[in-house]
Structures are given as structure tokens and as C-alpha cells.
Amino acid sequence: MRATVIHGPNDIRIEEVPDPVIQRPTDAVVRVLNACICGSDLWAYRGVAARQPGQRIGHEFLGIVEEVGREVSSVKAGDLVVAPFVWSDGVCEFCRDGLQTSCPHGGFWGEVGSDGGQGEAVRVPYADGTLVQLPKDAAGDDKLLTSLLALSDVMSTGHHAAVAAGVRPGSTVAVVGDGAVGLCGVLAAHRLGAGRIIALGRHQARTDIARAFGATDVVAERGEAAIEAVRELTGGQLAHAVLEAVGTEESMRTAISITRDGGGVGYVGVPHGGSAGVDIGQMFNRNISVGGGVAPARAYIPELLADVLAGTINPGLVFDRTVDLDGVPDGYRAMDDRSALKVRIAF
């Protein structure tokens, strides 16, 4: 089969790799229908995150189950399924607590020795604890598939930020970051009933999506100027909940600074560049809480899936370019130079 591999900075290739096979009785093999490129994949593409030459890449996919091991009971051959970006056994204490990202038997797609999501098929360990079944007829609905694909990571991650920040009905929410996760954070805050949503972003195509997702205000400034702009918009009260979806020192500093006293920050941006943006003194003095981290997407997918199927939310709007497998290297270049927001891969 063919799959995406990374050989070094700016070196993404489509190569022949071994076909996935059932190795353990809890495995499934999934033929991929849709996958995508994540903003976090760009850290490896840019050489910031280390990868071994020839390592698989990609962690968001949905597809058709081709084969299952003898102990798999929740899915069968022919089922349409979506996979969260982390596999998990579904039975350990962490999984039962809804923190599948800490499963001792879990792992990330594309890590050394595992299949990446940007390929024609994937071996799924612990299929019962990992895969979520989808309506079979969704396979023929291209628009619906894009929103279902978003559940594998970006929509679940945006929701995690909103939950961690403590978004409540009627609250004022600010979202730092206009990437796919930040935009899904806007949608998540709107879904949870936020009364006002301030999106921090400066790219009109992206802020237009933010407004479609429920943003009431847009702040294009950065740094101190952004803090002052939010202060002015809120009459000095700032935001009850702030979603941080970038991962830099500046974005964390901004997020904490625009949170009102007693409010919360939900951070889901993959950290890069240190932690100087976390001012413990400011947090202490103003009673600001910070929560978040790697989103346990497997815990969130069922409730978000119901809203996607009902047409209540449409996170698929974050996909603004579709390529086939041969177009993946160009997709990486497009996301790296910001000419694309999020690239979907259709097989």
C-alpha cells in the first residue's frame, strides 16, 4: 500500500509501505476514506519536532473496517468508523475516567513502529477501545464526511479547550488562535452557550469562519495591543473563559492576561518555545485557573457526533482544500505557507 512518510524537514514523500495486518486479536484493519494534515504535523515538517527518516505521519482518519481480530466485538468488516488521534484500550482506569490519552497501552498514530493516518490503510490496536462507529450511509455524503473527520482531532480539541476553560451559558469567551483548532474552539464555545465570543485572528478567511461558528467580535491585534483591545471590548471586565490554541509564550501570556479575575484558561495549543508565558504570580493574584492539555478525543466524540449528525454543528468548514494522496506534499507546503487552513486527503 501507499502512505505518507517524512524523511526530514520539508521532505514529505508518498511511498510503498507494508500492508497492515492483524497482529493481535484486539486489532482491526481500516481502509482509509478520508484523512487530513494537522497543524501539529507542521512542527515535524519544519524540523522543530524530531522524526526518524522514513517514519509514518498523520493522526486523523476515518474509513471502512476491512478485518477484525477474534476478540473485537464493537465493530465488524464493512463498518464506517472514525478514529481519535490516540488509540486506547478502553478498559484501564484512565480510559474509564475519560482520559484515554493517558492509557498505559495507548499510543499516537505515526509514532515509531505504528501506522500513520495519512495512508491507504491503518492497523488499529485495541479497536474496541478506539474506534467509533458511524452511520454507513455517511460514506456517500462528502460534506458530512468532512465534519465527521474533524471529530478525530480538531473539533474534539477545541471542545476540550472550552470545557477546561469553564465555558458556561451566557459567559464571555475569548479564543487565541485562528487555526483549525481555534476555530473549532469558537464553535465549541457557541455550542456550550457562550453569550459573547471574541476571536483573536488577523486572517479574514479564517475570521469569516469564526463568525460563521458564532464569534461576535474579532480582534486582529497581537500582544499588548490585543490585551487592550479585549479590555476595551469588555468594558475592562475581560473574558470569563479563554481558549488558547497556539502554544507559544506570547499566546499563553495573552490568554492569561485577557482572562478576568476568577476566570479560566483552557490550553490545547501544542507547546513550543518554552513556558515563560505562564505568569504564576499573575494567576495567583487574580485567581485565574489554567487547565487543558492533550484532548481525550475518544471521550468527546460520541456527544459531538450526535450534534454533527443532527446538523447542529458543521466543523467541516475548517477544511478549505482537498487533495488526493499524491497531493499530500503540496498540502503540507500550503499549510506551512498559510495558503491553506486545513487540508483534507480523499482516497
Side-chain angles (χ1 to χ4, degrees):
M1 57 165 267
R2 301 168 72 227
T4 306
V5 298
I6 184 167
H7 284 268
N10 304 304
D11 190 358
I12 294 288
R13 307 179 195 176
I14 308 303
E15 296 182 348
E16 292 286 336
V17 301
D19 291 339
V21 297
I22 300 295
Q23 297 179 14
R24 297 179 179 175
T26 52
D27 288 352
V29 173
V30 174
R31 174 172 54 86
V32 177
L33 294 181
N34 274 191
C36 53
I37 302 170
C38 183
S40 63
D41 292 330
L42 297 181
W43 299 118
Y45 181 73
R46 293 165 179 161
V48 176
R51 293 291 187 275
Q52 294 183 6
Q55 188 173 338
R56 298 280 294 277
I57 194 168
H59 55 263
E60 302 156 281
F61 65 94
L62 57 76
I64 304 292
V65 176
E66 294 268 279
E67 184 181 3
V68 299
R70 66 179 183 275
E71 294 182 12
V72 175
S73 61
S74 63
V75 296
K76 62 185 183 302
D79 285 347
L80 180 67
V81 293
V82 63
F85 61 88
V86 172
W87 73 77
S88 55
D89 64 21
V91 297
C92 73
E93 289 189 16
F94 290 107
C95 287
R96 291 199 302 270
D97 286 342
L99 194 64
Q100 290 88 344
T101 50
S102 292
C103 177
H105 300 122
F108 290 79
W109 310 112
E111 66 184 31
V112 175
S114 75
D115 294 342
Q118 296 167 12
E120 292 177 327
V122 176
R123 180 182 75 89
V124 178
Y126 300 104
D128 281 339
T130 302
L131 297 174
V132 178
Q133 191 170 352
L134 305 172
K136 283 187 179 181
D137 56 3
D141 187 334
D142 206 46
K143 180 181 176 182
L144 178 57
L145 277 183
T146 59
S147 283
L148 296 172
L149 178 61
L151 299 180
S152 65
D153 185 347
V154 289
M155 184 61 214
S156 295
T157 298
H159 178 68
H160 186 52
V163 170
V167 174
R168 297 289 184 270
S171 59
T172 296
V173 178
V175 181
V176 181
D178 62 0
V181 169
L183 295 174
C184 285
V186 171
L187 183 56
H190 181 69
R191 176 180 176 272
L192 292 174
R196 187 176 194 181
I197 304 173
I198 304 168
L200 278 67
R202 58 175 59 186
H203 303 89
Q204 184 173 344
R206 300 182 180 205
T207 56
D208 285 348
I209 296 174
R211 289 190 182 278
F213 280 173
T216 55
D217 304 272
V218 170
V219 168
E221 292 85 358
R222 290 184 178 178
E224 290 299 323
I227 296 168
E228 288 307 310
V230 174
R231 188 182 304 278
E232 183 175 349
L233 278 172
T234 59
Q237 294 298 302
L238 303 176
H240 298 95
V242 178
L243 284 53
E244 190 283 321
V246 182
T248 63
E249 292 185 8
E250 182 183 57
S251 63
M252 279 299 293
R253 186 179 299 111
T254 298
I256 293 170
S257 297
I258 63 177
T259 305
R260 70 183 295 167
D261 292 15
V265 175
Y267 73 103
V268 294
V270 178
H272 49 281
S275 57
V278 179
D279 185 338
I280 298 297
Q282 183 186 27
M283 291 165 55
F284 182 86
N285 291 334
R286 298 176 53 222
N287 281 281
I288 292 173
S289 61
V290 174
V294 185
R298 182 60 182 81
Y300 296 137
I301 288 175
E303 64 174 291
L304 297 172
L305 171 61
D307 278 6
V308 169
L309 295 178
T312 306
I313 59 173
N314 180 23
L317 288 177
V318 299
F319 294 100
D320 59 349
R321 185 171 303 189
T322 298
V323 299
D324 60 13
L325 188 56
D326 288 322
V328 170
D330 284 336
Y332 271 85
R333 284 189 283 272
M335 285 184 60
D336 186 44
D337 66 20
R338 298 181 72 86
S339 60
L341 168 59
K342 190 165 180 66
V343 174
R344 178 172 71 115
I345 307 162
F347 292 82

